Amino acid sequence: MQQVYDEKVREKILFEELENGLKVYVMPKKGYTKQFAIFATRFGSNDSKFIAPGDDYVTEVPDGVAHFLEHKMFEEEEGSIFEKFSQLGASANAYTNFTTTAYLFSSTENFYENLKLLVHFVQNPYFTDENVEKEKGIIAQEIRMYQDDPNWRVYFNALEALYHVYPVKKDIAGTIESISRIDKDILYKCYYTFYHPENMVLFAVGDIDVDKTLQVIEENVRQVKKQGEIKRIYPDEPVEVHKKEVVQNMQVSIPLFNLAFKDTDVGFGGRNLLKKSLEVQIGLEMAVGRSSELYEKLYQEGLVDSTFGFDYTGEIDYGYTIIGGQSKDPLKVRDIIIKAFKEKSFLDRETFERIKRKYIGKFLRTFNSVESIAYSFINLYMKDIDLMDYLPVLHQINFKDVAERVESHLNEETSAMSIIYPVK
Amino acid sequence: MELIHKELGDGINLYLDVTDKFKTVTVNLYVQNKLGDEATWYALIPSVLKRGTSTLKTYKDMVKYLEMLYGTTMAVSVYKKGERHFQQYRLELPQEEYVEENVFEKGIKFLYELVFEPFTQDGAFLKEYVLQEKEVQKNLIESRINDKTKYAVDRCYEEMCKGEPFAIFELGKKEDLDLIDEKNLFEYYKKCIDTLPVDIYVVGNVNPEYAEEVFRKYFNLRRKEVLEIPFTDVRKEVKEVKYVTEELDVNQGKLTLGFRTNVSPGSEEYYSLLVYSTILGGGPFSKLFMNVREKASLAYYAYSRLERFKGLMVISSGIEVENYSKALDIILKEVGEMEKGNISDYEFESAKKSLYTSLNAIKDNATSKADYYLSQKIAGTNLGIEEFIKKIEKVSKEDVVEVSKKVKLDTVYFMRNKKEA
């Protein structure tokens, strides 16, 4: 296996690509009680239109398929896979986001057996008309739960405002209508397209034996030929935002807002994307972070409270910033923030150096928990970013990079507002 | 797991858990009080303290200072365990070998000033800080309703424990905020720091002698009278099941059932009760998950959970409003199955294994460790994780059936959409 050792964080990651194309990464963590493995595919809610390898036609599937498939993978002919993990004392779970579906377990014993089970079940779909129908009721309640979650709604309304056609604006689980159109054939089609080892990655972390881990994976993974490229079809998204404002009324006590900014400098992954993401985050931290003049002002005027926060999402094909929280006057908050981005008085070198220092500590903290390592690793992997590039890239960023990034990404033109007001 | 204990001052305890597992040193300082009429005042204190210390007079100055310490994180919060009310002050400092020296002492001095040397003016808190934080607290109390899932559980407990201290919300009451000003709050604060027990848990790679020396330098406080916080009374007989329905503007109904167990947190029966609740609704192997979700497709989530320190159990599930009776019937049937002893070996063993895994997992998280130690202390059990696991191992199916007889339904709370007029 190839090995990358980082002296600064004193951690190493080992890597191997198997013949069938599966990428395997292992990170030994001496002294940890928990082991954690995650088996992920590049298949998310955004991937609803594609040409499968070998096909000469486009397949279009209902929204919410990736998430539906994730639920159904836990079922096997002989019963629920949860049962087997439970018997081994492990807890298994999965998640689906815009770009990824990931299956994972954490254990404190029987690691290799659990790993075998993980590799096995993700490679063994079992869909029937009956079990697909049954799942619709469960997922409908999951969708309902999110419909009542104002933080979730304000977020997706913000994406609806930013994007005309790009699928990131759609709910990950789809709608009750769209999932009603899902059947077992659709699930199998997506499964065989996206769950090929070549399209997948496996990351394991804990106080584990590297060779044995690799051996268990090699012995249990499908021995298949590489399938070639999956052609994913995403619509052409205009540069401009779709709507300046989306408003909804819900049972909340005080308005919630998400002020969103559309990133149009997209289409690349790897170190460049990591660099861009850090530039935006540092810029945001300087502008509206907890040590900023602006946050102090907004807080003292009673316009925001401790729920105020911000985040940048930078994927290969799209990106956006969200600044949000609860406020009695969201529009005033927006105006103040937009004005500050215009004036840029928060951009000073001393703050810049301090925030960079903060990010060193933040990165170190990632290595405190096997879960956070695994989640960060997979999240970055899907953007072709190497986790261990974080510190070198951070050091590379200079003040001017951040100033230019703020100028181009964070302004009135790229912004849109989503607000949830209390019901009258 | 060796926990080193030192008394720093009167009623100020330091606990050191030395481990080189983490890249940070996590310090959790807990102040505890009886949950009662002062709750609103008590809950406001950490927010005001977070606004400024004697040397770092604004929140902005504090954050800047911590950013220079490589993004040391500071978090304050307020919560309850049974009828004990906690203030939590947490710092997570980078381990010195990864950054530079003296970070630890700077952090501990900061923590001391945060809790014991606030920014004051004319013998009181700064007026504007108190005014602003009162407003924030008012908003936080009102915005409880935003998180429907948590709100449903909180409301069920409130209805169930009406008239008991446990019904008090951890942030207190909106009306009380009107009575508070910078002077009387400061008086109250002084009373708190003069009389309430303080426990500090440090988890990380520190030299115990050095750490003790640093802490003694700041926390060596002499106090005349340190209060003893009484154990929570868990005994209460259920005379009649209460049914409460609340109509809100929602899509999904939340069905929440509150139970009394009459099991005290320090008793041997507690371990049986924990296994009981885990079999019933503590994971994908559990009766509620299998029957409410997997078999009947009625819900995405259905679980049971204990409130150890008040001897309560809650069952919660999100359902279609029209499925209320169906879901309630299934849940009560499964509770009945427990009492009848219809527990499969698979359910029993899976529940125990899942508890071992969660207990062992605590060892990998510094704040979970601190919280575990604190819970052990207030339960009066002081068990290490291995000893806790041994207690679970000893629980038999008969013990589970035996304890099930003590679990009594008290309140059924249902959140639903508004009926058409």
Side-chain angles (χ1 to χ4, degrees):
Chain A
M1 288 185 105
Q2 295 173 48
Q3 176 178 322
V4 182
Y5 177 75
D6 190 295
E7 260 172 60
K8 289 246 168 51
V9 294
R10 301 180 200 175
E11 301 283 3
K12 67 176 175 194
I13 296 182
L14 294 102
F15 164 71
E16 178 127 335
E17 181 175 339
L18 306 186
E19 256 177 62
N20 57 18
L22 178 70
K23 277 73 145 182
V24 178
Y25 294 84
V26 185
M27 183 166 171
K29 263 311 240 177
K30 269 262 165 280
Y32 269 69
T33 311
K34 234 192 285 188
Q35 307 97 28
F36 196 88
I38 186 161
F39 194 9
T41 169
R42 284 184 195 266
F43 180 42
S45 60
N46 286 348
D47 303 302
S48 58
K49 208 172 165 187
F50 55 87
I51 303 171
D55 283 358
D56 54 5
Y57 55 89
V58 174
T59 302
E60 197 166 355
V61 295
D63 293 334
V65 166
H67 172 258
F68 202 105
L69 186 52
E70 174 226 299
H71 270 238
K72 283 329 298 169
M73 286 309 297
F74 283 92
E75 203 144 349
E76 301 221 323
E77 200 163 357
E78 54 275 34
S80 161
I81 205 72
F82 282 125
E83 210 168 305
K84 294 181 179 162
F85 278 110
S86 297
Q87 278 162 348
L88 290 168
S91 97
N93 213 334
Y95 64 85
T96 306
N97 59 32
F98 299 125
T99 59
T100 309
T101 312
Y103 301 84
L104 53 98
F105 73 83
S106 70
S107 59
T108 54
E109 53 177 12
N110 305 319
F111 171 72
Y112 304 101
E113 277 177 78
N114 282 305
L115 180 64
K116 193 173 156 184
L117 187 56
L118 175 73
V119 175
H120 176 81
F121 98 83
V122 175
Q123 295 189 98
N124 279 283
Y126 176 67
F127 311 137
T128 63
D129 292 332
E130 198 199 348
N131 75 24
V132 169
E133 269 328 293
K134 188 209 80 180
E135 205 66 27
K136 289 180 182 172
I138 297 171
I139 296 179
Q141 287 314 312
E142 191 178 359
I143 292 171
R144 292 285 214 183
M145 181 177 82
Y146 283 115
Q147 280 174 348
D148 283 339
D149 181 346
N151 287 307
W152 186 261
R153 287 310 328 151
V154 75
Y155 188 80
F156 274 89
N157 289 349
L159 296 179
E160 160 67 20
L162 286 187
Y163 294 97
H164 295 256
V165 285
Y166 204 79
V168 66
K169 65 190 283 181
K170 294 177 183 172
D171 243 309
I172 291 163
T175 63
I176 292 178
E177 187 281 319
S178 76
I179 63 165
S180 74
R181 289 186 276 121
I182 294 174
D183 59 31
K184 69 171 195 291
D185 298 334
I186 294 175
L187 294 179
Y188 275 119
K189 176 74 187 180
C190 290
Y191 180 82
Y192 285 111
T193 304
F194 292 101
Y195 283 61
H196 188 285
E198 195 183 348
N199 193 44
M200 300 184 76
V201 57
L202 204 156
F203 180 81
V205 53
D207 197 343
I208 54 180
D209 183 281
V210 175
D211 295 326
K212 198 165 173 199
T213 301
L214 185 63
Q215 192 195 335
V216 169
I217 296 166
E218 274 179 327
E219 281 172 7
N220 289 284
V221 82
R222 280 193 287 158
Q223 302 301 326
V224 287
K225 285 207 184 83
K226 289 194 182 179
Q227 64 168 2
E229 198 203 350
I230 305 163
K231 180 111 183 59
R232 297 157 202 257
I233 301 164
Y234 303 119
D236 285 330
E237 173 65 29
V239 169
E240 309 78 51
V241 302
H242 180 208
K243 298 170 186 167
K244 285 311 270 187
E245 209 173 289
V246 174
V247 169
Q248 188 185 342
N249 290 296
M250 287 179 80
Q251 186 92 47
V252 292
S253 60
I254 173 171
L256 299 180
F257 72 95
N258 270 188
L259 172 59
F261 297 85
K262 187 172 182 172
D263 183 3
T264 50
D265 180 20
V266 294
F268 53 91
R271 283 177 81 113
N272 286 336
L273 177 55
L274 176 59
K275 182 162 179 280
K276 177 179 75 172
S277 303
L278 286 169
E279 285 164 5
V280 179
Q281 280 164 17
I282 292 170
L284 286 166
E285 196 81 53
M286 292 170 74
V288 293
R290 288 295 194 261
S291 62
S292 66
E293 302 272 340
L294 191 66
Y295 177 74
E296 185 175 57
K297 177 181 148 91
L298 290 170
Y299 193 94
Q300 283 177 355
E301 288 180 15
L303 286 169
V304 300
D305 58 26
S306 53
T307 62
F308 182 80
F310 56 88
D311 194 27
Y312 171 72
T313 300
E315 296 293 336
I316 295 173
D317 294 310
Y318 61 91
Y320 52 84
T321 287
I322 303 267
I323 301 173
Q326 48 186 41
S327 174
K328 59 185 183 196
D329 193 348
L331 294 175
K332 196 165 172 194
V333 174
R334 176 192 64 187
D335 294 344
I336 293 172
I337 293 175
I338 296 282
K339 186 162 166 267
F341 282 144
K342 200 170 173 188
E343 289 167 357
K344 298 183 194 57
S345 59
F346 56 86
L347 287 172
D348 74 89
R349 281 168 199 279
E350 189 197 320
T351 310
F352 170 72
E353 292 303 332
R354 201 178 65 238
I355 299 300
K356 263 176 93 166
R357 224 170 139 133
K358 170 180 173 169
Y359 273 61
I360 296 172
K362 198 175 163 186
F363 181 65
L364 280 176
R365 276 203 305 278
T366 310
F367 291 93
N368 275 350
S369 107
V370 293
E371 286 96 337
S372 66
I373 296 168
Y375 291 136
S376 303
F377 183 89
I378 292 294
N379 174 31
L380 294 174
Y381 172 86
M382 293 298 168
K383 308 171 192 187
D384 304 330
I385 295 170
D386 184 345
L387 178 65
M388 294 305 197
D389 275 344
Y390 187 98
L391 286 182
V393 170
L394 179 64
H395 286 301
Q396 216 184 70
I397 291 172
N398 61 44
F399 179 74
K400 204 169 136 260
D401 297 331
V402 172
E404 284 172 5
R405 185 60 63 188
V406 168
E407 170 84 39
S408 65
H409 173 46
L410 301 167
N411 56 62
E412 209 286 320
E413 217 169 284
T414 60
S415 75
M417 188 71 166
S418 160
I419 306 170
I420 304 286
Y421 285 113
V423 280
K424 273 141 220 139
Chain B
M1 203 163 5
E2 290 288 315
L3 196 59
I4 304 167
H5 174 216
K6 302 282 171 188
E7 189 155 9
L8 297 174
D10 300 310
I12 299 179
N13 293 292
L14 173 68
Y15 298 90
L16 299 171
D17 175 350
V18 180
T19 163
D20 62 1
K21 219 185 234 187
F22 307 111
K23 302 210 188 296
T24 50
V25 179
T26 304
V27 185
N28 277 288
L29 185 152
Y30 302 96
V31 182
Q32 58 175 305
N33 195 8
K34 209 165 69 182
L35 182 64
D37 298 336
E38 304 161 354
T40 317
W41 302 65
Y42 187 69
L44 185 58
I45 286 173
S47 321
V48 173
L49 296 183
K50 205 180 157 184
R51 293 300 301 274
T53 68
S54 56
T55 56
L56 300 163
K57 295 186 170 52
T58 69
Y59 176 68
K60 191 172 73 187
D61 292 341
M62 295 166 93
V63 179
K64 278 186 179 173
Y65 183 79
L66 296 173
E67 283 172 349
M68 284 309 282
L69 296 182
Y70 295 87
T72 290
T73 55
M74 156 178 68
V76 303
S77 63
V78 177
Y79 57 89
K80 60 186 179 187
K81 282 178 188 280
E83 286 162 0
R84 282 174 207 251
H85 205 179
F86 287 90
Q87 295 172 349
Q88 179 185 21
Y89 302 86
R90 183 166 67 88
L91 278 194
E92 197 176 341
L93 300 145
Q95 200 77 60
E96 288 180 354
E97 68 248 41
Y98 293 99
V99 285
E100 61 183 82
E101 284 179 9
N102 295 325
V103 170
F104 181 73
E105 177 160 1
K106 283 179 186 160
I108 301 313
K109 177 171 182 282
F110 174 88
L111 180 66
Y112 167 74
E113 290 181 356
L114 171 68
V115 182
F116 291 96
E117 282 194 5
F119 180 45
T120 56
Q121 215 169 39
D122 308 324
F125 286 125
L126 196 65
K127 188 180 177 131
E128 57 174 278
Y129 287 178
V130 174
L131 275 174
Q132 285 158 8
E133 294 307 322
K134 276 167 60 173
E135 185 64 21
V136 170
Q137 188 159 330
K138 181 173 144 271
N139 286 339
L140 290 175
I141 293 171
E142 287 176 347
S143 65
R144 285 173 75 190
I145 198 164
N146 294 7
D147 182 348
K148 308 289 182 293
T149 310
K150 181 174 186 296
Y151 180 75
V153 172
D154 284 359
R155 285 285 298 120
C156 180
Y157 280 145
E158 269 173 27
E159 290 292 335
M160 184 170 170
C161 301
K162 234 178 216 171
E164 297 168 68
F166 190 70
I168 298 168
F169 182 49
E170 57 255 32
L171 296 181
K173 285 187 286 206
K174 238 178 11 178
E175 306 82 76
D176 288 354
L177 287 166
D178 298 335
L179 310 171
I180 300 176
D181 63 37
E182 69 280 6
K183 289 195 189 68
N184 59 24
L185 186 67
F186 188 70
E187 288 309 312
Y188 177 70
Y189 158 77
K190 282 209 322 219
K191 199 181 97 192
C192 286
I193 58 166
D194 281 344
T195 58
L196 296 179
V198 174
D199 295 294
I200 306 169
Y201 293 88
V202 179
V203 181
N205 197 12
V206 290
N207 175 310
E209 288 80 31
Y210 170 68
E212 186 188 343
E213 186 194 312
V214 172
F215 269 98
R216 280 207 190 280
K217 210 159 138 185
Y218 301 102
F219 288 88
N220 182 17
L221 303 173
R222 300 272 70 98
R223 307 194 296 174
K224 282 193 283 301
E225 188 210 358
V226 180
L227 296 177
E228 182 102 22
I229 309 301
F231 284 100
T232 301
D233 191 4
V234 301
R235 286 161 308 167
K236 174 114 188 187
E237 205 190 317
V238 184
K239 295 211 174 68
E240 195 185 348
V241 179
K242 278 184 271 186
Y243 291 85
V244 180
T245 300
E246 195 167 347
E247 290 184 14
L248 294 171
D249 210 322
V250 292
N251 289 292
Q252 188 178 52
K254 309 272 188 211
L255 177 56
T256 312
L257 284 70
F259 297 79
R260 302 269 179 183
T261 72
N262 282 293
V263 170
S264 62
S267 69
E268 289 297 315
E269 270 180 314
Y270 167 73
Y271 306 98
S272 309
L273 183 67
L274 185 56
V275 177
Y276 166 92
S277 171
T278 310
I279 296 169
L280 180 62
F285 49 81
S286 69
K287 288 188 179 294
L288 293 176
F289 186 90
M290 281 311 296
N291 291 288
V292 180
R293 174 176 152 140
E294 294 297 302
K295 290 204 182 122
S297 293
L298 289 179
Y300 172 63
Y301 72 90
Y303 66 83
S304 64
R305 188 189 293 158
L306 296 178
E307 207 298 327
R308 179 178 185 180
F309 298 97
K310 180 66 182 167
L312 308 178
M313 183 178 80
V314 71
I315 291 178
S316 182
S317 183
I319 56 168
E320 235 14 81
V321 170
E322 71 222 33
N323 288 333
Y324 169 80
S325 304
K326 225 196 246 175
L328 185 57
D329 287 350
I330 296 176
I331 291 171
L332 293 177
K333 179 171 171 282
E334 294 311 316
V335 172
E337 294 293 319
M338 295 293 299
E339 216 175 315
K340 283 188 218 145
N342 289 333
I343 298 164
S344 71
D345 289 344
Y346 160 68
E347 289 167 336
F348 184 69
E349 290 306 324
S350 299
K352 281 186 158 190
K353 281 181 190 158
S354 133
L355 287 169
Y356 305 150
T357 305
S358 336
L359 283 159
N360 277 319
I362 292 171
K363 298 173 192 163
D364 285 354
N365 183 300
T367 293
S368 302
K369 270 183 153 182
D371 183 70
Y372 174 85
Y373 295 135
L374 180 72
S375 292
Q376 286 301 314
K377 185 172 179 178
I378 62 172
T381 41
N382 290 313
L383 297 183
I385 289 174
E386 307 303 333
E387 295 167 294
F388 196 119
I389 288 174
K390 287 214 174 71
K391 295 278 187 193
I392 302 288
E393 279 171 354
K394 275 198 218 134
V395 173
S396 67
K397 255 192 216 178
E398 290 70 41
D399 295 332
V400 172
V401 176
E402 195 52 39
V403 84
S404 75
K405 292 175 187 144
K406 301 188 79 173
V407 180
K408 299 284 179 230
L409 179 62
D410 182 300
T411 298
V412 177
Y413 168 87
F414 187 50
M415 178 198 290
R416 56 161 298 158
N417 59 351
K418 290 184 175 155
K419 285 177 193 155
E420 301 295 323

